[in-house]
Amino acid sequence: MSRLIVISNRVAAPKPDGEGGAQGGLAVALSAALREYRGLWFGWSGNRIDEFTGKIDFQRHDGVTSATIDLEEQDVEEYYNGYANRTLWPLFHYRIDLAEYVRSFGAGYERVNERFADTVTPLIDPDDLVWIHDYHLIPLGAQLRQRGLRNRMGFFLHIPWPPARLLTSLPAHEHLVLSLLAYDVIGFHTKEWLESFQNYVERELGGHCEPDGTIHVGERSVHAAAYPIGIDYKEFREAAESEAAQEAFERLRKSADGRGTIIGVDRLDYSKGLEERFLGYRRFLEDHEDWQGEVFLLQIAPPSRGEVHTYEKIRESLDELSGRINGEFAAVDWVPIRYVNQGYGREDLAGFYRASQIALVTPLRDGMNLVAKEYVAAQDPEDPGVLILSRFAGAALQLTDALLVNPYSKEEISDAIKQALDMPREERIRRWRSMNEVVKQEDVVWWRRNFVAALQGEATQDERAAG
Ligand code: F6P
């Protein structure tokens, strides 16, 4: 059997006990795949050094081998903080107003992809399957081909793919997209991102897309399809049943003191629509005075990418906005928003989700959004909460029984909160059952099996039906 080589910017392979905290769902799924196929997980260690050496640090824990390299300060600045998070991230989330086009970022991005290619090439055997993840490493497949690799190679994008008209604002956009043709399989979360990609290929590259997912550009044919990522349902249900989750549930219920809890859990990122969410909630408090003092919003938002200016700015704006709303509406015994800049482990989150009557998951644009799926999985089947979900999250295409809202509209957010609070138990159960079925069936194991099958050259059931 072929080995699997997973390559991503960050490596979330298991760590020795007590280090690095709990693994996320994706990390658990990829670790399981690596145990099944052997192989290794390669990427950046997260450490910075004065001069790049290419030295690889190998570690093996729980049957998974990780191989990491350190990067130079300038690499991190130009590749990670620069091209990945100041150019591609905003552009791919439809925020060309925030995208920065700086030549040195592009050069740093190419350089680090070359460094990845130089160091990982000797670790890859001729019949290994290579699976590369996310926007940090789009050109890596082409770099590996230039070094003579003929392996089956796949790329999965964890964020949206933007419409062609936005993408063409990126200098050297063709070069970037053409480099994707080095892969055998290209995966997106949803049909929407896939269609934007196909549209770009036809408009800008003169390519041709077949209904079975084959894309032809010149001599090259690749397979592009939607593979919606899921959560590790079984593992998350277990987390939700754990003692720690039960304690978290009781802690939140006790502190709620009979009030309804609306929960939001997001990385502190402008794509998550947190300002718009706070304003929508504020609108709800204004529209429905009788609910003041009866509900509160618990927004958990651990800071991320703090070296990037736009992230510093969003943090400042949210500090200011939450303070303003609290000052405006709070009473001596009630605060409308509990704004927490701290991350929590899966078991705590599962308990908090179950204790909350509503989840507000309202990103302005999101590749998938797994918080929405985790909220569903954590619910009590006899008394489930209501999911309010942005129609611009990839998850909205699967969780059609959520209350779908336009996250830019304060009125829609306000109305949805009211509808959720008034929703009869039978309707909550009906909606939850249908969403839970999807979350359970289309879990992360299903996702990675489908992708790896495509990488091995096998058509998935959906593709056979479409073909
Ligand atoms: O969802 C996109 C993504 O880049 C993931 O790959 C990553 O785990 C997450 O966002 C957090 O981003 P970062 O690694 O920059 O902290």
Side-chain angles (χ1 to χ4, degrees):
M1 190 168 75
S2 313
R3 294 188 318 161
L4 181 65
I5 309 293
V6 171
I7 310 178
S8 58
N9 175 53
R10 287 186 195 273
V11 174
K15 300 236 163 67
D17 282 350
E19 270 181 47
Q23 275 189 297
L26 175 63
V28 171
L30 290 177
S31 298
L34 285 167
R35 269 182 220 110
E36 197 176 318
Y37 292 86
R38 300 174 299 118
L40 55 89
W41 193 338
F42 181 90
W44 174 36
S45 61
N47 299 330
R48 301 159 198 236
I49 43 172
D50 290 341
E51 204 172 327
F52 182 74
T53 60
K55 184 179 158 294
I56 307 173
D57 177 25
F58 288 96
Q59 302 220 9
R60 189 169 168 82
H61 296 289
D62 288 350
V64 179
T65 303
S66 65
T68 54
I69 50 171
D70 300 336
L71 292 177
E72 279 175 26
E73 189 63 44
Q74 192 183 348
D75 289 341
V76 177
E77 212 27 60
E78 293 173 349
Y79 148 81
Y80 175 72
N81 287 331
Y83 202 74
N85 288 327
R86 287 165 67 177
T87 305
L88 295 182
W89 179 273
L91 173 62
F92 278 44
H93 287 85
Y94 296 42
R95 293 296 302 269
I96 47 172
D97 57 321
L98 300 180
E100 296 175 54
Y101 300 142
V102 180
R103 264 197 198 143
S104 61
F105 292 175
Y109 183 71
E110 288 290 331
R111 182 179 66 246
V112 171
N113 272 270
E114 278 167 22
R115 289 183 163 172
F116 266 58
D118 286 338
T119 32
V120 78
T121 296
L123 307 181
I124 301 176
D125 293 337
D127 61 349
D128 287 345
L129 298 170
V130 179
W131 188 2
I132 294 171
H133 291 261
D134 233 354
Y135 58 105
H136 315 87
L137 301 175
I138 293 173
L140 182 57
Q143 297 282 0
L144 294 175
R145 295 272 183 239
Q146 279 169 23
R147 283 156 185 77
L149 263 67
R150 304 171 69 94
N151 305 56
R152 294 278 299 172
M153 267 190 233
F155 176 81
F156 188 83
L157 184 69
H158 289 263
I159 64 175
W161 183 272
R165 284 201 164 82
L166 294 188
L167 186 51
T168 50
S169 70
L170 178 73
H173 52 91
E174 281 141 340
H175 174 71
L176 186 75
V177 184
L178 281 170
S179 73
L180 271 176
L181 302 175
Y183 295 101
D184 299 292
V185 180
I186 306 169
F188 302 91
H189 281 308
T190 68
K191 282 217 162 91
E192 191 179 340
W193 317 140
L194 171 66
E195 282 164 12
S196 297
F197 175 70
Q198 291 171 328
N199 183 251
Y200 178 95
V201 165
E202 290 185 338
R203 276 175 47 129
E204 301 294 325
L205 305 180
H208 170 66
C209 306
E210 312 245 19
D212 72 353
T214 311
I215 288 184
H216 307 276
V217 180
E219 299 289 289
R220 189 77 196 129
S221 296
V222 300
H223 182 77
Y227 303 95
I229 199 168
I231 61 166
D232 190 333
Y233 184 85
K234 192 167 154 279
E235 193 268 348
F236 200 79
R237 284 296 308 176
E238 279 163 21
E241 306 293 334
S242 68
E243 216 170 285
Q246 187 57 33
E247 277 168 22
F249 172 90
E250 275 157 21
R251 187 168 153 213
L252 184 54
R253 278 281 163 102
K254 190 155 169 267
S255 80
D257 199 18
R259 298 183 170 102
T261 306
I262 304 172
I263 194 167
V265 178
D266 308 80
R267 245 177 351 92
L268 218 169
D269 192 299
Y270 49 83
S271 66
K272 302 294 181 184
L274 295 171
E275 283 174 290
E276 292 76 3
R277 183 180 310 170
F278 284 4
L279 291 170
Y281 172 66
R282 182 185 179 284
R283 177 65 185 247
F284 165 79
L285 296 175
E286 255 178 3
D287 288 349
H288 305 283
E289 279 181 28
D290 50 328
W291 276 100
Q292 289 182 22
E294 300 298 320
V295 287
F296 66 94
L297 170 62
L298 168 62
Q299 178 62 56
I300 296 175
S304 85
R305 304 177 190 164
E307 292 175 3
V308 177
H309 178 61
T310 39
Y311 287 77
E312 279 174 49
K313 255 179 69 185
I314 181 76
R315 187 166 184 184
E316 280 167 21
S317 313
L318 288 167
D319 284 348
E320 203 261 329
L321 185 58
S322 57
R324 190 144 46 86
I325 297 174
N326 280 342
E328 205 176 339
F329 292 91
V332 284
D333 56 354
W334 172 65
V335 178
I337 303 181
R338 297 184 188 178
Y339 179 47
V340 184
N341 289 140
Q342 179 188 324
Y344 289 89
R346 254 193 331 287
E347 291 172 341
D348 282 337
L349 286 177
F352 296 154
Y353 290 140
R354 200 175 174 112
S356 303
Q357 286 73 17
I358 299 175
L360 264 184
V361 183
T362 54
L364 303 179
R365 201 58 64 173
D366 212 334
M368 172 51 69
N369 196 295
L370 294 179
V371 168
K373 296 187 175 183
E374 288 179 351
Y375 178 74
V376 170
Q379 294 309 296
D380 173 357
E382 301 303 319
D383 188 19
V386 180
L387 173 64
I388 299 178
L389 179 61
S390 162
R391 50 179 78 253
F392 305 135
L397 275 83
Q398 288 174 295
L399 304 179
T400 48
D401 270 304
L403 295 184
L404 296 179
V405 293
N406 177 341
Y408 292 94
S409 163
K410 297 194 259 294
E411 285 91 350
E412 282 196 28
I413 292 179
S414 166
D415 291 352
I417 295 175
K418 180 71 171 56
Q419 188 185 344
L421 289 168
D422 291 343
M423 192 179 287
R425 184 163 158 267
E426 300 71 50
E427 184 180 347
R428 282 192 278 122
I429 292 179
R430 181 184 57 71
R431 287 176 181 269
W432 175 79
R433 279 195 185 146
S434 112
M435 292 192 285
N436 188 55
E437 211 36 44
V438 177
V439 175
K440 187 172 168 182
Q441 297 307 329
E442 300 182 356
D443 68 351
V444 78
V445 180
W446 172 85
W447 168 77
R448 65 121 172 125
R449 288 214 167 117
N450 279 337
F451 192 90
V452 173
L455 193 49
Q456 287 169 321
E458 298 162 15
T460 65
Q461 245 175 24
D462 285 353
E463 288 158 2
R464 275 195 294 272

